[in-house]
Amino acid sequence: MKKNVVLIGFMGTGKTTVGTLLADRIGFTFIDTDELIFQYVKMPIGDIFFKYGEQYFRELEGNMIQTNIFKHRIVLATGGGAILNPNNLRIIKKYGIVIALEASIDILWNRLHRCTDRPLLLVDNPREKLEEMYIQRQPIYREAHYLINVDNKLPEEVVNEILLLLK
Ligand code: S3P
């Protein structure tokens, strides 16, 4: 396979776990934009949001995507909001095989409601916020080349499905 693989999808869909396993299986390098940002700013994502604001985070996210997508043989996991910027979506679709991981709202809520490291959900009514973001983003995730539903699947099962798609 020549092209890079890019994982998109809502927070909590398992992009980092699946991406790490997938990269290992196909001998590609795994890159996670949140991790790159963390290394660059040397601050957890939540602190970046609170100290510098979401817009600054989005600028870094765009830069990380637009520089790393040109590397060879990578699996790139993007943050859940990365595709809100149409330039990010355009470039990953042009230079990568884009796979969206999808999960139902209830499963995401179960996975996320106790997390403290998702700044966008640290609001008075996180469930309502989750639903609002889900509805807004779902059509954009569906612009991926492939969609995989991850409900009740182990990361290894998701990786096996991706490998079948990539064949
Ligand atoms: C975000 C998702 C997070 C992280 C940041 C914003 C989002 O990444 O980039 O908290 O807007 O959905 P994960 O999707 O890896 O949780």
Side-chain angles (χ1 to χ4, degrees):
M1 191 181 39
K2 286 205 188 95
K3 274 194 156 180
N4 291 329
V5 181
V6 185
L7 299 179
I8 66 172
F10 211 85
M11 50 185 126
T13 49
K15 300 179 296 283
T16 303
T17 311
V18 167
T20 307
L21 290 170
L22 174 67
D24 199 43
R25 290 277 292 272
I26 60 179
F28 278 26
T29 304
F30 176 67
I31 298 179
D32 185 312
T33 57
D34 281 350
E35 179 59 28
L36 291 178
I37 294 169
F38 170 70
Q39 283 168 12
Y40 178 75
V41 189
K42 297 186 176 57
M43 213 185 253
I45 302 298
D47 293 1
I48 300 174
F49 266 69
F50 291 116
K51 191 151 187 228
Y52 301 114
E54 181 174 351
Q55 198 185 330
Y56 175 66
F57 172 82
R58 296 295 173 204
E59 275 167 31
L60 292 178
E61 187 173 54
N63 291 343
M64 296 306 177
I65 290 174
Q66 288 168 32
T67 48
N68 283 280
I69 192 69
F70 297 107
K71 292 186 174 161
H72 294 290
R73 297 166 62 85
I74 62 162
V75 173
L76 182 68
T78 58
I83 43 66
L84 295 172
N85 178 340
N87 286 331
N88 291 342
L89 186 60
R90 189 181 46 77
I91 200 164
I92 59 176
K93 281 185 77 175
K94 185 162 177 198
Y95 295 100
I97 300 171
V98 179
I99 300 174
L101 304 186
E102 276 198 325
S104 62
I105 289 198
D106 287 334
I107 286 195
L108 292 176
W109 176 246
N110 276 337
R111 288 185 183 179
L112 294 168
H113 76 280
R114 268 184 248 99
C115 289
T116 52
D117 60 350
R118 299 311 203 295
L120 292 174
L121 293 178
L122 298 178
V123 293
D124 287 344
N125 192 338
R127 169 87 199 199
E128 195 178 275
K129 177 75 180 173
L130 177 80
E131 287 177 13
E132 187 188 295
M133 290 197 293
Y134 189 92
I135 290 165
Q136 182 204 7
R137 293 175 178 190
Q138 206 62 358
I140 313 180
Y141 294 137
R142 292 200 170 156
E143 289 187 39
H145 296 121
Y146 299 104
L147 294 176
I148 295 195
N149 185 284
V150 300
D151 283 353
N152 304 313
K153 288 179 194 158
L154 293 170
E156 289 77 7
E157 293 178 281
V158 178
V159 170
N160 287 338
E161 280 189 41
I162 295 176
L163 291 173
L164 284 177
L165 291 176
L166 296 179
K167 260 190 184 163

